[in-house]
Amino acid sequence: MTAPNAGLGSVTTAPAGPRDRTVANRVRLVVAQLLCGVGIASGVAVGGVLAEKLSGVMGVAGFAQTASIIGAGLMAIPLARLAVRHGRRWSLTLGFTTAAIGAVLILVAATTAQFWLYLIAMVLFGSGTATNLQSRYAAMEFSRPGAEARSMSIVLWATTVGSIAGPNLSAPGANLGKALGLVPLSGPYLFSLVGFVLAAIVTVGIRPVAGHAPGNDPTPAGEAPVGALAALRTALRAPRAVFAIACIVTGQMMMAAVMVMTPVSMNNDGMSLEFVGIVISVHIVGMYAASPVFGWLTDKTSAQTVAWIGAALFVASFALGAWDGAAHSAMPRLMAALFLLGLGWSACLIGGSAMLVESVPAHIRVPLQGGVDASMNFGAAALGALAGPVLALGGFFAVNVMAAAVLAVLVWAGVRARVRRSSIQST
């Protein structure tokens, strides 16, 4: 809009409307997710090797990933609490900033050869994963009505680019670290640092939108603000919410346990690192590339339908993983199993997250999201730790059987929710 008496050269731009801000916020979330994906994948690709180098003990290589997962679980609830009080903007920005601090401390730990500091730094580094997960709910809050799941899935899809690009930066990162006088294996964390810092800069630009109050849903009069544990207790009384929680938590646990043990099993079977890399890359594509399809299906059908599709995909993955076929068929079978594992995780995460938002009152959504995200990360860390001894005792077959036992919990919760819904409809 131009003022009536303004000169020919003066132009006044009208303030951005709610729709413009909503679209801009969604774009920021996608960009931040891409940058975060690069940050996480760059570090994770060399984390175990660096842990082994700093400690001098081969058996502690897995501690790096475990510390990162625990960090994601520890950060989930505080970030959700911050979102309740001050909105998603500051919660996401702080989450990415904390991960950047972790990356800096990793560089310090590598330079000073302090393994204990490296583990602490990896806990902070895990904040990137927690923030990455929280972004999916922020995307739903900034979506147009009827497209919530699609908005979430597009943000998750952006992680595909970062997750694929990140590991390919390992060699350039090592060269860069060596050129700067750092321990070469710590070099990739320079890319992690840049990715997290840029993601924080992007998310600090998120602006509130009328009608979209992420993290600030009003608490009913006379009630105190709800914490994560209280929100979980409330949700556990609703079978549909229990199904949603089971989808998210067990999906993460099953995916993490099988994925972490796949490279170990392949190595034990004499397969090369190149084959391991191909299988894990196919798995990552399965995790993220099809997420827009599951988001579209969720909006067009229902969150429960997509969750059941995820359960079916897990069944197919475990059947292939547990099948002890001929040696020449092992590689194609593992690729198919890990691809289906990624698809199952994606469907359960998207369907479960959408169902969680739909099944609980608005004022407990964000605290509940933090509690569920913490649970999924702690559960993944626990089952991942158990998967090692299970692999040693019973091989990859036993790992898949263990994951299938966890899937039984998801199926039970889904059947219970369906029975409850049918009984309500018949009354």
Side-chain angles (χ1 to χ4, degrees), residues 29 32-33 36 72 74-100 124 126-139 141-142 196 199-207 213-216 366-367 369-371 373:
L29 287 172
Q33 196 81 341
C36 178
L74 291 174
M75 288 297 298
I77 293 177
L79 289 177
R81 186 178 296 123
L82 184 63
V84 170
R85 295 179 179 176
H86 302 289
R88 295 289 189 191
R89 173 191 182 187
W90 295 113
S91 175
L92 297 176
T93 301
L94 179 64
F96 289 132
T97 302
T98 302
L124 296 177
S127 177
T129 300
T131 312
N132 178 294
L133 290 169
Q134 191 182 113
S135 296
R136 74 190 193 276
Y137 292 117
E141 292 162 348
F142 287 122
F196 291 139
I201 292 172
V202 169
T203 53
V204 81
I206 291 175
R207 291 293 182 268
N216 291 313
V366 178
Q369 291 161 6
D373 282 359

Side-chain angles (χ1 to χ4, degrees), residues 80-126:
R81 186 178 296 123
L82 184 63
V84 170
R85 295 179 179 176
H86 302 289
R88 295 289 189 191
R89 173 191 182 187
W90 295 113
S91 175
L92 297 176
T93 301
L94 179 64
F96 289 132
T97 302
T98 302
I101 293 172
V104 171
L105 289 179
I106 289 170
L107 297 174
V108 174
T111 302
T112 58
Q114 299 294 328
F115 180 63
W116 64 270
L117 180 59
Y118 175 66
L119 291 181
I120 293 174
M122 286 301 294
V123 171
L124 296 177
F125 189 86

Side-chain angles (χ1 to χ4, degrees), residues 223-316:
E223 295 187 20
V226 177
L229 292 178
L232 280 170
R233 286 195 295 268
T234 300
L236 291 176
R237 293 195 288 266
R240 191 160 176 260
V242 172
F243 185 28
I245 294 170
C247 286
I248 298 169
V249 175
T250 64
Q252 181 78 0
M253 291 172 66
M254 294 183 292
M255 185 275 292
V258 176
M259 181 192 70
V260 169
M261 288 301 107
T262 298
V264 180
S265 176
M266 293 178 69
N267 181 67
N268 291 342
D269 290 340
M271 295 189 188
S272 67
L273 289 178
E274 288 77 10
F275 283 165
V276 172
I278 291 171
V279 169
I280 296 303
S281 295
V282 168
H283 170 66
I284 292 173
V285 170
M287 287 176 65
Y288 297 112
S291 56
V293 176
F294 292 129
W296 178 83
L297 281 174
T298 300
D299 289 330
K300 291 298 182 182
T301 57
S302 69
Q304 295 97 312
T305 298
V306 173
W308 281 115
I309 291 173
L313 289 166
F314 272 124
V315 170

Side-chain angles (χ1 to χ4, degrees), residues 18-48:
R19 178 177 174 80
D20 295 332
R21 282 190 174 184
T22 300
V23 173
N25 286 341
R26 290 204 299 265
V27 171
R28 288 188 180 97
L29 287 172
V30 169
V31 173
Q33 196 81 341
L34 190 155
L35 293 166
C36 178
V38 173
I40 294 172
S42 297
V44 168
V46 297

